[in-house]
Amino acid sequence: KWDEYTAAKEAMFFHTDTTDAPWIVIKSDCKKRARISAMRYLLHKLHYTNKNPELIGPLDPLIVGRAQVVFERAEHVITAP
């Protein structure tokens, strides 16, 4: 079912990812890095007093980003029959 799941996920992203309501993907090959990236993303997006982007740290574009940008290479590997 992995191929069907992947096709459905990609179709969902294609049809529902818009500028007004973007999908943000957090790759989770490493759970700790994924959680930290998710927290950093939210902290960068929220507006609050005494916000210091240097303390939050930069976003890793290989882990967090728009659905069409964070490319799932492993899902697109074509194997010979």
Side-chain angles (χ1 to χ4, degrees):
K1 297 277 183 188
W2 186 255
D3 292 333
E4 291 88 357
Y5 167 76
T6 300
K9 179 185 78 170
E10 289 175 352
M12 175 188 65
F13 285 151
F14 178 77
H15 292 291
T16 62
D17 184 45
T18 65
T19 302
D20 293 329
W23 278 96
I24 302 301
V25 175
I26 309 288
K27 291 182 63 97
S28 61
D29 293 339
C30 174
K31 301 297 182 197
K32 182 178 180 179
R33 288 178 61 199
R35 288 183 187 111
I36 291 171
S37 294
M39 288 185 275
R40 281 184 176 154
Y41 176 80
L42 287 173
L43 290 171
H44 277 289
K45 290 295 181 183
L46 295 174
H47 300 287
Y48 55 92
T49 58
N50 299 324
K51 181 176 175 178
N52 186 342
E54 290 182 19
L55 290 177
I56 297 170
L59 293 176
D60 186 342
L62 298 175
I63 297 177
V64 62
R66 294 281 304 267
Q68 76 259 18
V69 176
V70 180
F71 186 69
E72 302 280 350
R73 292 179 191 269
E75 295 177 6
H76 296 282
V77 174
I78 300 173
T79 56

